[in-house]
Amino acid sequence: AQSVTQLGSHVSVSEGALVLLRCNYSSSVPPYLFWYVQYPNQGLQLLLKYTTGATLVKGINGFEAEFKKSETSFHLTKPSAHMSDAAEYFCAVSGEGEAALIFGKGTTLSVSS
Amino acid sequence: DAGITQSPRYKITETGRQVTLMCHQTWSHSYMFWYRQDLGHGLRLIYYSAAADITDKGEVPDGYVVSRSKTENFPLTLESATRSQTSVYFCASNGGGTDTQYFGPGTRLTVL
Protein backbone atom coordinates (compact mmCIF):
# COMPACT_ATOMS: atom_id res chain seq x y z
CA ALA A 1 0.00 0.00 0.00
CA GLN A 2 1.12 3.49 -0.69
CA SER A 3 1.57 6.11 1.98
CA VAL A 4 2.95 9.59 2.41
CA THR A 5 4.64 11.11 5.44
CA GLN A 6 5.11 14.84 5.77
CA LEU A 7 7.66 15.64 8.45
CA GLY A 8 6.58 18.62 10.50
CA SER A 9 2.96 19.65 10.72
CA HIS A 10 4.01 23.28 11.08
CA VAL A 11 7.02 25.10 9.61
CA SER A 12 7.84 28.74 10.35
CA VAL A 13 10.29 30.82 8.33
CA SER A 14 11.19 34.47 7.97
CA GLU A 15 10.49 36.36 4.78
CA GLY A 16 13.40 35.83 2.43
CA ALA A 17 14.52 32.59 4.07
CA LEU A 18 14.72 29.18 2.46
CA VAL A 19 11.56 27.10 2.52
CA LEU A 20 11.98 23.33 2.93
CA LEU A 21 8.95 21.10 3.34
CA ARG A 22 9.69 17.41 3.69
CA CYS A 23 7.83 14.52 2.11
CA ASN A 24 8.65 10.82 2.17
CA TYR A 25 6.61 8.18 0.45
CA SER A 26 6.27 4.44 0.31
CA SER A 27 5.13 2.75 -2.84
CA SER A 28 5.38 -0.71 -4.31
CA VAL A 29 5.13 0.67 -7.83
CA PRO A 30 6.90 3.56 -9.55
CA PRO A 31 5.33 6.57 -7.92
CA TYR A 32 3.81 9.67 -9.30
CA LEU A 33 4.31 12.50 -6.82
CA PHE A 34 2.50 15.78 -6.35
CA TRP A 35 2.60 18.88 -4.21
CA TYR A 36 -0.59 20.86 -3.69
CA VAL A 37 -1.12 24.16 -1.88
CA GLN A 38 -4.26 25.22 -0.04
CA TYR A 39 -4.93 28.82 0.89
CA PRO A 40 -7.46 29.53 3.65
CA ASN A 41 -11.03 28.61 2.74
CA GLN A 42 -10.06 27.50 -0.73
CA GLY A 43 -9.62 24.25 -2.61
CA LEU A 44 -6.28 22.68 -3.45
CA GLN A 45 -4.11 23.97 -6.26
CA LEU A 46 -1.35 21.97 -7.92
CA LEU A 47 2.16 23.34 -7.34
CA LEU A 48 4.11 20.71 -9.26
CA LYS A 49 4.21 17.03 -10.10
CA TYR A 50 6.70 14.31 -10.95
CA THR A 51 5.66 11.53 -13.31
CA THR A 52 8.70 10.47 -15.33
CA GLY A 53 11.86 12.03 -16.68
CA ALA A 54 13.82 14.80 -14.97
CA THR A 55 13.89 14.30 -11.22
CA LEU A 56 14.09 18.02 -10.45
CA VAL A 57 10.67 19.46 -11.05
CA LYS A 58 9.89 23.16 -11.19
CA GLY A 59 6.47 24.43 -10.30
CA ILE A 60 4.54 27.61 -9.91
CA ASN A 61 5.42 30.51 -7.60
CA GLY A 62 9.13 29.65 -7.56
CA PHE A 63 8.76 26.24 -5.90
CA GLU A 64 10.64 23.14 -6.94
CA ALA A 65 10.99 19.57 -5.74
CA GLU A 66 13.44 16.77 -6.35
CA PHE A 67 12.48 13.12 -6.64
CA LYS A 68 15.09 10.98 -4.88
CA LYS A 69 14.28 7.33 -5.34
CA SER A 70 17.08 6.11 -3.07
CA GLU A 71 15.72 8.23 -0.23
CA THR A 72 12.04 7.79 -1.18
CA SER A 73 11.70 11.54 -0.83
CA PHE A 74 10.12 14.42 -2.69
CA HIS A 75 10.95 17.51 -0.65
CA LEU A 76 9.58 20.90 -1.66
CA THR A 77 11.84 23.95 -1.65
CA LYS A 78 11.77 27.64 -2.43
CA PRO A 79 14.92 29.77 -2.15
CA SER A 80 13.25 32.85 -0.70
CA ALA A 81 9.96 32.85 1.18
CA HIS A 82 7.33 35.48 0.59
CA MET A 83 4.48 36.41 2.88
CA SER A 84 2.04 35.17 0.25
CA ASP A 85 3.49 31.65 0.58
CA ALA A 86 1.78 31.20 3.94
CA ALA A 87 -0.62 28.30 3.37
CA GLU A 88 -1.03 24.58 3.91
CA TYR A 89 0.95 22.26 1.69
CA PHE A 90 0.10 18.69 0.85
CA CYS A 91 2.28 16.01 -0.66
CA ALA A 92 0.47 13.22 -2.52
CA VAL A 93 1.33 10.00 -4.31
CA SER A 94 -0.31 7.75 -6.85
CA GLY A 95 0.91 4.79 -8.84
CA GLU A 96 0.74 3.75 -12.46
CA GLY A 97 -2.80 2.78 -13.31
CA GLU A 98 -4.14 4.25 -10.12
CA ALA A 99 -6.50 7.17 -10.37
CA ALA A 100 -6.77 8.37 -6.80
CA LEU A 101 -4.22 10.29 -4.79
CA ILE A 102 -2.96 9.36 -1.33
CA PHE A 103 -2.30 12.53 0.63
CA GLY A 104 0.00 13.31 3.50
CA LYS A 105 -1.43 15.05 6.54
CA GLY A 106 -0.21 18.44 5.42
CA THR A 107 2.29 21.05 6.57
CA THR A 108 1.25 24.55 7.52
CA LEU A 109 3.80 27.13 6.43
CA SER A 110 3.95 30.40 8.34
CA VAL A 111 6.02 33.32 7.06
CA SER A 112 6.97 36.18 9.35
CA SER A 113 8.27 39.61 8.38
CA ASP B 1 -18.53 29.22 -15.77
CA ALA B 2 -15.85 26.71 -16.64
CA GLY B 3 -14.35 24.64 -13.90
CA ILE B 4 -15.51 22.58 -10.97
CA THR B 5 -18.16 23.81 -8.57
CA GLN B 6 -19.61 22.49 -5.34
CA SER B 7 -22.86 23.27 -3.62
CA PRO B 8 -23.74 24.19 -1.02
CA ARG B 9 -20.56 25.82 0.27
CA TYR B 10 -21.76 25.59 3.85
CA LYS B 11 -24.31 23.25 5.39
CA ILE B 12 -25.52 22.66 8.92
CA THR B 13 -27.68 19.62 9.54
CA GLU B 14 -28.79 17.39 12.37
CA THR B 15 -27.87 13.83 13.23
CA GLY B 16 -29.92 11.32 11.28
CA ARG B 17 -30.87 13.60 8.39
CA GLN B 18 -30.03 12.86 4.78
CA VAL B 19 -27.70 15.36 3.11
CA THR B 20 -26.57 15.56 -0.51
CA LEU B 21 -23.50 17.47 -1.59
CA MET B 22 -23.32 18.41 -5.24
CA CYS B 23 -20.33 18.51 -7.56
CA HIS B 24 -20.34 19.70 -11.16
CA GLN B 25 -17.47 19.97 -13.65
CA THR B 26 -17.48 21.48 -17.13
CA TRP B 27 -14.35 19.84 -18.59
CA SER B 28 -15.95 16.48 -19.43
CA HIS B 29 -13.30 14.81 -17.28
CA SER B 30 -13.81 11.08 -17.04
CA TYR B 31 -12.67 10.79 -13.42
CA MET B 32 -14.28 12.43 -10.41
CA PHE B 33 -13.39 12.09 -6.74
CA TRP B 34 -14.75 12.91 -3.29
CA TYR B 35 -12.35 13.60 -0.42
CA ARG B 36 -12.93 14.68 3.15
CA GLN B 37 -10.47 16.90 4.98
CA ASP B 38 -10.08 16.63 8.73
CA LEU B 39 -7.52 18.21 11.00
CA GLY B 40 -4.63 15.84 11.51
CA HIS B 41 -5.71 13.51 8.72
CA GLY B 42 -5.11 15.49 5.56
CA LEU B 43 -7.42 14.50 2.71
CA ARG B 44 -8.90 11.03 2.58
CA LEU B 45 -10.65 9.52 -0.41
CA ILE B 46 -14.31 8.61 0.08
CA TYR B 47 -15.38 7.47 -3.40
CA TYR B 48 -14.30 7.96 -6.96
CA SER B 49 -15.74 7.38 -10.39
CA ALA B 50 -13.95 6.49 -13.62
CA ALA B 51 -16.93 7.25 -15.86
CA ALA B 52 -20.70 7.56 -15.80
CA ASP B 53 -22.24 4.63 -13.92
CA ILE B 54 -18.82 3.42 -12.68
CA THR B 55 -17.96 4.12 -9.05
CA ASP B 56 -15.57 2.63 -6.54
CA LYS B 57 -14.84 2.92 -2.83
CA GLY B 58 -11.95 4.80 -1.39
CA GLU B 59 -10.38 4.74 2.05
CA VAL B 60 -13.40 5.95 4.08
CA PRO B 61 -16.65 5.04 2.25
CA ASP B 62 -18.85 3.99 5.19
CA GLY B 63 -21.96 6.12 5.61
CA TYR B 64 -21.73 7.64 2.13
CA VAL B 65 -23.43 6.90 -1.17
CA VAL B 66 -22.51 8.22 -4.61
CA SER B 67 -24.00 8.08 -8.07
CA ARG B 68 -22.90 9.26 -11.48
CA SER B 69 -25.64 9.24 -14.06
CA LYS B 70 -24.04 12.09 -16.04
CA THR B 71 -20.34 12.64 -16.70
CA GLU B 72 -20.41 16.17 -15.33
CA ASN B 73 -22.12 15.49 -12.00
CA PHE B 74 -21.02 13.44 -9.02
CA PRO B 75 -23.28 13.90 -5.97
CA LEU B 76 -22.33 12.60 -2.54
CA THR B 77 -25.11 11.59 -0.17
CA LEU B 78 -24.93 11.05 3.55
CA GLU B 79 -27.94 8.82 4.11
CA SER B 80 -28.12 9.35 7.88
CA ALA B 81 -25.65 11.99 8.98
CA THR B 82 -23.54 11.46 12.08
CA ARG B 83 -21.40 13.92 14.06
CA SER B 84 -18.27 12.13 12.87
CA GLN B 85 -19.14 13.24 9.35
CA THR B 86 -18.60 16.87 10.27
CA SER B 87 -15.83 17.80 7.86
CA VAL B 88 -14.83 19.76 4.79
CA TYR B 89 -15.65 17.86 1.62
CA PHE B 90 -13.76 18.38 -1.62
CA CYS B 91 -14.70 17.21 -5.05
CA ALA B 92 -12.02 16.81 -7.73
CA SER B 93 -11.82 15.72 -11.34
CA ASN B 94 -9.26 14.78 -13.97
CA GLY B 95 -8.89 13.03 -17.28
CA GLY B 96 -7.26 9.97 -15.72
CA GLY B 97 -3.70 8.71 -15.37
CA THR B 98 -1.25 11.33 -14.16
CA ASP B 99 -3.48 14.17 -15.30
CA THR B 100 -3.71 16.92 -12.68
CA GLN B 101 -6.64 16.63 -10.31
CA TYR B 102 -8.56 19.87 -10.16
CA PHE B 103 -10.33 20.61 -6.91
CA GLY B 104 -13.55 22.40 -6.16
CA PRO B 105 -13.79 25.06 -3.42
CA GLY B 106 -15.13 22.62 -0.84
CA THR B 107 -18.28 22.21 1.25
CA ARG B 108 -18.04 22.74 4.98
CA LEU B 109 -20.55 20.39 6.62
CA THR B 110 -21.49 20.55 10.27
CA VAL B 111 -23.60 17.79 11.81
CA LEU B 112 -25.17 18.74 15.14
Side-chain angles (χ1 to χ4, degrees), chain A residues 20-90:
Chain A
L20 171 60
L21 303 182
R22 300 177 187 273
C23 173
N24 289 89
Y25 69 91
S26 67
S27 177
S28 58
V29 297
Y32 301 132
L33 296 157
F34 306 79
W35 275 100
Y36 280 85
V37 61
Q38 183 182 31
Y39 298 102
N41 297 316
Q42 294 187 24
L44 279 71
Q45 178 184 5
L46 182 72
L47 275 177
L48 49 81
K49 65 180 179 182
Y50 168 79
T51 54
T52 58
T55 56
L56 182 61
V57 181
K58 295 186 183 300
I60 62 172
N61 301 338
F63 285 93
E64 64 181 34
E66 186 171 10
F67 169 57
K68 292 186 176 181
K69 185 177 179 180
S70 61
E71 298 178 7
T72 62
S73 68
F74 191 58
H75 302 332
L76 182 70
T77 61
K78 181 174 180 178
S80 178
H82 192 272
M83 296 293 285
S84 60
D85 295 326
E88 187 153 21
Y89 293 80
F90 292 95

Side-chain angles (χ1 to χ4, degrees), chain B residues 18-97:
Chain B
Q18 182 179 82
V19 177
T20 296
L21 310 183
M22 303 301 294
C23 179
H24 175 79
Q25 52 102 357
T26 61
W27 294 300
S28 298
H29 283 160
S30 54
Y31 280 84
M32 295 187 75
F33 308 84
W34 276 107
Y35 295 90
R36 59 177 289 173
Q37 183 180 22
D38 303 289
L39 195 64
H41 289 278
L43 279 81
R44 292 178 292 175
L45 182 68
I46 304 171
Y47 271 96
Y48 70 99
S49 168
D53 298 322
I54 300 175
T55 62
D56 209 346
K57 295 178 180 180
E59 180 184 354
V60 289
D62 293 343
Y64 303 95
V65 175
V66 293
S67 62
R68 194 160 176 214
S69 58
K70 292 184 178 181
T71 300
E72 62 267 31
N73 297 324
F74 191 38
L76 176 73
T77 298
L78 289 66
E79 292 190 304
S80 178
T82 65
R83 290 194 181 90
S84 65
Q85 293 176 310
T86 293
S87 186
V88 181
Y89 291 85
F90 287 100
C91 180
S93 72
N94 75 355

